[in-house]
């Protein structure tokens, strides 16, 4: 799959949200990505005001990772009325539950401002790979010492066969580094 002269190498696919929702397109998108040779990753839209355990169960029940898939992703970008300490505590609990189940460290997705407010310089989140949303800029630097692994640079992408706008992401590395990141 190509957009202009750029080959789409990977895609993150929404799987679940909160404790109740499975994306109705997930199964088709998940299988079609693999069939088309696209490295796939699944993400959960995390709501810190709901049980981390119940959300993890929903995701694990929905997403069966295979060799060659990207690690699971936790998308957290809204505090939903929780304090900073609660957002950090419940996010970390969710990350730990996914890591215990899949035996691979998850990726943490958020936007630049949420990252600065909740995760920057927090020991509990050192060593996690970050996927950061920061749109419509020519370049992006993470605040602090961490390095971004994935950068969501646009929410206005067009891909043949998809009738709505999609997010565009880049990986901070080459194709070998991307494959090394995948589940063995």
């Amino acid at each position: 799959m190509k957009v202009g002269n750029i080959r789409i190498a990977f895609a993150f696919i929404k799987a679940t949200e909160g404790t109740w929702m499975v994306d109705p397109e997930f199964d088709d998108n998940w299988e079609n990505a693999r069939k088309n040779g696209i490295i796939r990753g699944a993400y959960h839209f995390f709501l810190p005001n709901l049980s981390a355990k119940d959300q993890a169960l929903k995701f694990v029940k929905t997403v069966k990772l295979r060799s060659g898939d990207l690690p699971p992703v936790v998308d957290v970008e809204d505090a939903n009325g929780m304090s900073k300490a609660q957002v950090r505590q419940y996010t970390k609990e969710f990350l730990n539950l996914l890591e215990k189940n899949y035996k691979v460290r998850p990726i943490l997705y958020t936007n630049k401002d949420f990252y600065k407010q909740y995760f920057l310089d927090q020991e509990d989140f050192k060593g996690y790979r970050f996927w950061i949303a920061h749109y419509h800029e020519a370049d992006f630097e993470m605040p602090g010492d961490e390095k971004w692994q994935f950068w969501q640079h646009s929410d206005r992408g067009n891909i043949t066969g998809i009738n709505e706008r999609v997010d565009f992401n880049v990986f901070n590395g080459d194709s070998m580094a991307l494959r090394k990141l995948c589940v063995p």
Side-chain angles (χ1 to χ4, degrees), residues 57-117:
L57 288 170
K58 185 63 149 179
F59 185 82
V60 167
K61 183 178 176 185
T62 303
V63 179
K64 306 303 179 215
L65 294 179
R66 293 174 36 188
S67 177
D69 291 336
L70 289 163
V73 176
V74 179
D75 174 348
V76 58
E77 48 191 297
D78 191 342
N80 283 35
M82 304 276 87
S83 70
K84 283 185 185 182
Q86 289 171 315
V87 169
R88 291 176 185 137
Q89 175 187 345
Y90 301 142
T91 301
K92 183 65 175 166
E93 180 183 346
F94 186 83
L95 289 163
N96 288 340
L97 289 166
L98 291 189
E99 188 168 353
K100 183 178 179 185
N101 182 79
Y102 292 110
K103 310 294 189 247
V104 63
R105 184 165 266 205
I107 297 168
L108 187 55
Y109 169 95
T110 193
N111 61 61
K112 182 179 178 182
D113 292 332
F114 202 87
Y115 171 81
K116 286 185 343 189
Q117 186 172 5

Side-chain angles (χ1 to χ4, degrees), residues 93-157:
E93 180 183 346
F94 186 83
L95 289 163
N96 288 340
L97 289 166
L98 291 189
E99 188 168 353
K100 183 178 179 185
N101 182 79
Y102 292 110
K103 310 294 189 247
V104 63
R105 184 165 266 205
I107 297 168
L108 187 55
Y109 169 95
T110 193
N111 61 61
K112 182 179 178 182
D113 292 332
F114 202 87
Y115 171 81
K116 286 185 343 189
Q117 186 172 5
Y118 292 91
F119 303 119
L120 178 64
D121 296 328
Q122 294 298 308
E123 282 302 314
D124 283 346
F125 299 97
K126 292 275 186 200
Y128 278 96
R129 293 175 177 95
F130 282 92
W131 171 22
I132 301 292
H134 187 66
Y135 300 140
H136 317 298
E137 301 288 332
D139 200 3
F140 171 63
E141 289 290 323
M142 286 278 283
D145 296 333
E146 295 290 325
K147 302 289 182 212
W148 57 269
Q149 197 79 47
F150 295 91
W151 170 29
Q152 189 170 87
H153 60 89
S154 176
D155 59 351
R156 300 179 188 159

